[in-house]
Amino acid sequence: MDWGTDLWDQYDVIDKHTQSGLDLVERYIKFVKERTEIEQNYAKQLRNLTKKYIKRESKEEQESKFSNHASFQDILNELNDYAGQRELIAENMMTAICVELTKFLQEIKQERKSHLSDVKKAQQNLESSFKQLENTKKRFAKEWVDADKATQQSEKIEHDLNATKFDVEKAKHYAHSRTHIAEESRSDYAAQLQKYNQEQKYFYYTDLTQIFNKLQGMDERRIRRLAEGYCQFSDIEKKVLPIISKCLEGITSAGTRINANQDSILFIEHHKSGFERPTDVEFEDYSQGIKPATSESSLNPPKVMSKLWLFSKKTKPVPAEDFSHLPPEQRKKKLQAKIDEFNKELQKSQDVSEALEKMKDVYKKNPAQGDPASLEPQITETTQKICKLRGEMVKYETWLSEAMGGEDSAPTDNNQNTVSRVMTEALPEPPQDELPEPTLDGLTPTVSLYTDFQEFDDVEAPLGQYVALYTFEGKSEGTVSINAGEHLSVMEEDQGDGWMRVLRANGEEGYIPASYAQPL
């Protein structure tokens, strides 16, 4: 069954049907475009989401990353890759479906237009031939009527007694000519009729059939191409499903890699200070009289000193090269990190030195390739660098050995933060139950008019008042000793390392464990 045979008289139906098919292709192209926009927006939102939550950490933080934090970063990275696959789906759909189908649609539109134009031309030719047939038929009918009238007139004149012989001959001649013209018209009509029948037969059985079959082939080709587009809609996504599955598996794997026990151990190793727990608080026997004034500064700091820091020259603790200002465990880690860094640099320098020596040997054997003397400056510089690195490594290894042996204390004369003392005598210590609340209001500092104002613009206000819970011996550089019950001004709160910077009433400033004091 084909259109040319079974739908020879359904031109309008074929016209509408083929146009409907082209409209469907256009609708599908538009549908896929909107799908790609959804995919692109989805991918963009996923990328923005991962960008919002991904953590930009320093090198040190990355090296000491906990498994639960690292897994979350891995999940964000996998999700970012997943977003890339959604973008790939959108790009492939746009290229393989939208672009290719649009190109195919333009071609098939032009083909359909050409076939329909051929049908109209054939119809016009047949109609023109039919008009010619009608004209020859009308002419034949007219000529035949005229010939019949001329014959009847000739017979009438011939039987008329009053007509002359000339009139009779003239009438016969006219009738004969009209009859001859009518016969010619008849022949023309017969020939035109035969021609029209042949053209009509060719139009309906050959020309129209071929064109309609071509339209049928075109429509079937459109359907097959559209079917391919339908399959591509899913095949494009199927191709990236393995990668998407890997991304999802990576997310699952990131969750299973979390080790709570290992994270706790890592946290302990990273933050333990190495200090011993505080000892028992000694009993203070007030029944034996007031203690010497030496402890007054810790239990009941003079109000005068609360404002003394405003007019004093202060400097923050200067980090020591051997990291002795840090707690023991932190110091060990810093020293070990330095040694590892020097090891890497030493290995690189040794590799460079070996390469230069080999190049020098090559130049000696083949002077044409280069001058061995030109490498001497680089060799000398590399050798000096290696010697320097080895010296630094020995120095840091010695410090590490001391730290491992417990000799982690260092002199604090050069780096200890101090404030000038203006009190020449300590005030007597009141009973413990009469300790006044420290305040900065309404105080009159007994400082000299010649106090140094050089650092007045850099004055740092205290963040709050704390009371010491335990006694702490600040042996490491940068730390300060405190007594249980002593009132302290906090200059810098705990930044997550377990230490806080405080100012004592006697002007000493340094770090203490954050757990050794609590707010008033």
Side-chain angles (χ1 to χ4, degrees):
M1 299 178 67
D2 55 66
W3 291 8
T5 302
D6 299 302
L7 300 177
W8 63 270
D9 58 344
Q10 300 296 325
Y11 170 80
D12 293 337
V13 174
I14 292 175
D15 185 7
K16 292 180 180 179
H17 176 74
T18 53
Q19 182 60 48
S20 175
L22 298 183
D23 293 341
L24 178 60
V25 176
E26 287 184 344
R27 286 178 59 203
Y28 183 64
I29 292 173
K30 185 178 179 182
F31 162 75
V32 175
K33 283 183 179 179
E34 292 185 5
R35 164 68 189 277
T36 59
E37 290 175 0
I38 293 174
E39 291 289 352
Q40 289 170 347
N41 291 333
Y42 179 48
K44 182 179 180 181
Q45 291 176 357
L46 287 179
R47 288 195 183 277
N48 290 337
L49 181 65
T50 56
K51 185 177 180 181
K52 176 181 178 182
Y53 284 94
I54 199 164
K55 190 175 181 182
R56 305 296 180 186
E57 297 177 308
S58 65
K59 181 180 178 181
E60 182 180 354
E61 289 173 331
Q62 290 174 351
E63 291 176 350
S64 61
K65 192 179 294 183
F66 300 108
S67 64
N68 54 346
H69 290 272
S71 293
F72 182 56
Q73 297 303 308
D74 292 340
I75 289 173
L76 294 175
N77 292 332
E78 293 292 349
L79 190 60
N80 192 60
D81 294 339
Y82 177 84
Q85 297 308 310
R86 306 314 304 187
E87 290 176 339
L88 183 61
I89 291 174
E91 181 180 351
N92 290 341
M93 282 188 175
M94 181 61 71
T95 303
I97 299 180
C98 295
V99 175
E100 294 298 326
L101 268 184
T102 301
K103 183 179 179 181
F104 172 77
L105 182 62
Q106 297 301 323
E107 293 175 356
I108 207 169
K109 277 184 176 181
Q110 190 64 33
E111 183 180 351
R112 174 180 176 275
K113 183 179 179 181
S114 175
H115 291 328
L116 295 181
S117 177
D118 291 341
V119 173
K120 289 183 178 180
K121 287 180 181 179
Q123 287 178 337
Q124 290 174 356
N125 292 335
L126 185 63
E127 290 174 358
S128 176
S129 179
F130 182 76
K131 287 181 180 179
Q132 291 180 3
L133 175 63
E134 287 294 318
N135 291 334
T136 54
K137 180 181 177 181
K138 290 178 181 179
R139 180 169 173 269
F140 167 63
K142 180 177 177 298
E143 294 297 335
W144 182 257
V145 171
D146 291 344
D148 186 50
K149 287 181 179 180
T151 301
Q152 292 178 2
Q153 185 67 25
S154 173
E155 290 177 354
K156 183 178 179 181
I157 293 174
E158 185 178 1
H159 292 88
D160 188 2
L161 298 176
N162 296 323
T164 62
K165 186 178 180 180
F166 177 76
D167 292 333
V168 173
E169 291 295 329
K170 182 179 179 181
K172 286 182 178 181
H173 179 72
Y174 178 73
H176 182 270
S177 63
R178 298 307 304 177
T179 301
H180 180 70
I181 293 173
E183 288 295 334
E184 289 181 350
S185 299
R186 183 175 181 277
S187 299
D188 291 342
Y189 169 63
Q192 186 62 36
L193 179 61
Q194 185 179 6
K195 178 183 176 182
Y196 173 75
N197 287 334
Q198 289 177 351
E199 290 180 353
Q200 179 178 253
K201 184 177 181 180
Y202 179 79
F203 174 76
Y204 285 112
Y205 287 91
T206 304
D207 199 8
L208 193 64
T209 300
Q210 291 177 354
I211 296 174
F212 279 6
N213 287 341
K214 288 179 180 178
L215 285 169
Q216 180 182 359
M218 178 206 73
D219 192 64
E220 290 175 356
R221 193 166 68 254
R222 172 196 64 80
I223 294 173
R224 287 192 294 270
R225 183 64 186 86
L226 188 58
E228 292 177 3
Y230 289 166
C231 295
Q232 284 178 317
F233 188 77
S234 63
D235 291 341
I236 288 173
E237 189 162 356
K238 284 181 181 178
K239 289 180 181 179
V240 300
L241 279 181
I243 302 177
I244 291 177
S245 297
K246 287 183 179 180
C247 294
L248 298 177
E249 290 173 2
I251 293 175
T252 303
S253 177
T256 57
R257 284 199 303 268
I258 295 176
N259 188 328
N261 185 47
Q262 187 63 34
D263 281 1
S264 295
I265 295 174
L266 180 61
F267 179 74
I268 293 170
E269 291 295 330
H270 188 65
H271 293 286
K272 67 179 181 180
S273 65
F275 288 109
E276 296 295 332
R277 291 181 176 85
T279 58
D280 293 341
V281 179
E282 296 181 359
F283 175 74
E284 299 181 14
D285 191 357
Y286 287 96
S287 63
Q288 301 301 323
I290 303 299
K291 282 189 176 182
T294 54
S295 62
E296 175 60 19
S297 61
S298 62
L299 293 178
N300 189 18
K303 295 182 178 180
V304 172
M305 302 309 296
S306 299
K307 283 192 175 181
L308 178 60
W309 63 271
L310 291 172
F311 304 97
S312 303
K313 184 174 181 179
K314 318 189 287 87
T315 57
K316 292 186 178 180
V318 179
E321 185 181 5
D322 61 353
F323 301 109
S324 57
H325 63 287
L326 297 176
E329 292 296 330
Q330 302 294 335
R331 183 189 182 198
K332 294 174 187 177
K333 292 177 183 178
K334 287 289 186 180
L335 291 172
Q336 187 60 54
K338 272 290 186 181
I339 293 173
D340 294 340
E341 182 181 342
F342 285 132
N343 266 323
K344 292 179 182 178
E345 289 294 327
L346 182 59
Q347 186 61 44
K348 289 181 182 178
S349 300
Q350 289 174 344
D351 293 341
V352 172
S353 179
E354 291 177 4
L356 290 172
E357 290 294 341
K358 290 180 180 179
M359 190 178 297
K360 183 179 179 181
D361 293 339
V362 172
Y363 286 174
K364 286 181 179 179
K365 295 177 181 179
N366 301 290
Q369 294 186 2
D371 183 12
S374 63
L375 299 176
E376 288 297 336
Q378 299 181 41
I379 294 175
T380 303
E381 182 182 353
T382 305
T383 303
Q384 293 175 352
K385 184 177 181 181
I386 291 174
C387 293
K388 182 179 178 181
L389 289 172
R390 284 175 177 169
E392 292 292 328
M393 280 187 62
V394 170
K395 182 172 64 174
Y396 277 90
E397 285 173 351
T398 302
W399 287 336
L400 179 60
S401 178
E402 294 175 357
M404 297 296 290
E407 300 177 4
D408 55 348
S409 60
T412 59
D413 294 340
N414 297 329
N415 298 322
Q416 183 70 26
N417 237 352
T418 59
V419 179
S420 301
R421 301 191 181 203
V422 296
M423 300 297 294
T424 57
E425 293 183 346
L427 298 177
E429 179 181 4
Q432 182 69 22
D433 57 349
E434 296 179 5
L435 287 176
E437 292 292 330
T439 176
L440 295 177
D441 299 330
L443 301 183
T444 306
T446 58
V447 296
S448 171
L449 293 175
Y450 300 98
T451 303
D452 185 6
F453 286 86
Q454 181 179 357
E455 297 292 330
F456 184 75
D457 292 338
D458 297 330
V459 166
E460 183 178 6
L463 302 178
Q465 295 295 316
Y466 277 59
V467 62
L469 299 175
Y470 314 104
T471 299
F472 172 72
E473 297 294 334
K475 296 181 180 180
S476 298
E477 185 176 356
T479 61
V480 65
S481 299
I482 60 172
N483 297 317
E486 180 178 353
H487 289 225
L488 306 167
S489 297
V490 177
M491 311 308 293
E492 181 180 329
E493 293 182 345
D494 180 13
Q495 301 297 320
D497 56 359
W499 293 86
M500 59 193 303
R501 184 162 56 90
V502 299
L503 176 67
R504 299 185 67 191
N506 62 1
E508 290 184 332
E509 183 177 355
Y511 288 90
I512 65 168
S515 60
Y516 278 46
Q518 70 177 10
L520 286 173

